[in-house]
Amino acid sequence: PQASRPATAVQFSNYVGVILREVRRVPGAKLAGINVDSAEHGSQNWTPDFEAQFEKLRGYSMHQYLPAMMGRVVNSREESDKFLFDVRRTIADLMSEEYYGTFQKLCHAEGMIEMAEAPGIATCLPSDNIQAKGWTDIPMGEFWVGQPDGTMDCKEAASAAHVYGKPVAAAESF
């Protein structure tokens, strides 16, 4: 998923929307909600409006610092590191609000809830997992016995439920 409202709306319309249209053909049938599985799509760091979103959220233009995204030092290591932190923070904020938040709003508009493993474990995506789970109706974690940190996502789901006042947290397993 791209962390942009338009991309999320296209994904919703062409996936959930197709299912909704078919379900609504059956008299009295309805979907209570959807589950968004973990984001196992690799790292994504750009959308068509990322530069504008970055400036809006961080308060400065990223243009002069773009070489830092390719491993170049711009002005100083400290300044480059601060910029790269801001890039990661912006991606996390946009994934939370623009992707999970938009999915939640679209679900609510259709009378459904959203449950999500936002964003899940073993992803290489800059994320704020508790913040992302806060943009769901039911925060969900996943756990796998063979992974040393395999229960961390469930702890994050429970924490997000507590922090954001959600009465239920869920877990995917085997």
Side-chain angles (χ1 to χ4, degrees):
Q2 287 196 8
S4 73
R5 284 188 178 126
T8 302
V10 166
Q11 182 183 12
F12 186 92
S13 176
N14 289 290
Y15 184 58
V16 177
V18 171
I19 296 168
L20 278 172
R21 284 188 292 279
E22 291 301 313
V23 167
R24 288 179 177 148
R25 291 176 49 182
V26 178
K30 69 175 203 164
L31 290 179
I34 63 163
N35 176 36
V36 180
D37 200 7
S38 55
E40 298 167 7
H41 51 69
S43 185
Q44 298 180 16
N45 65 0
W46 203 263
T47 59
D49 67 342
F50 185 76
E51 191 170 359
Q53 291 278 28
F54 179 92
E55 188 165 348
K56 178 180 141 191
L57 293 171
R58 305 283 88 87
Y60 67 96
S61 172
M62 68 186 306
H63 189 76
Q64 73 176 16
Y65 295 102
L66 288 175
M69 292 182 76
M70 297 299 294
R72 302 283 187 194
V73 173
V74 177
N75 298 332
S76 69
R77 290 179 79 173
E78 293 77 19
E79 202 169 332
S80 296
D81 285 345
K82 179 195 176 303
F83 165 72
L84 292 172
F85 176 86
D86 287 347
V87 166
R88 292 179 192 105
R89 182 72 254 171
T90 300
I91 293 169
D93 290 345
L94 294 176
M95 280 302 296
S96 294
E97 186 172 350
E98 301 286 310
Y99 182 66
Y100 294 106
T102 298
F103 244 95
Q104 184 184 50
K105 288 174 190 163
L106 292 168
C107 283
H108 290 178
E110 296 292 346
M112 299 184 304
I113 62 167
E114 174 202 27
M115 176 170 58
E117 295 173 19
I121 58 176
T123 62
C124 54
L125 174 73
S127 62
D128 181 329
N129 294 8
I130 293 175
Q131 176 192 32
K133 285 171 173 46
W135 284 96
T136 68
D137 296 304
I138 300 175
M140 186 173 182
E142 59 182 309
F143 66 91
W144 305 104
V145 177
Q147 294 178 336
D149 296 324
T151 60
M152 188 62 66
D153 199 38
C154 291
K155 291 176 184 178
E156 290 169 351
S159 295
H162 176 75
V163 168
Y164 294 103
K166 299 173 186 297
V168 175
E172 173 196 17
S173 65
F174 319 115

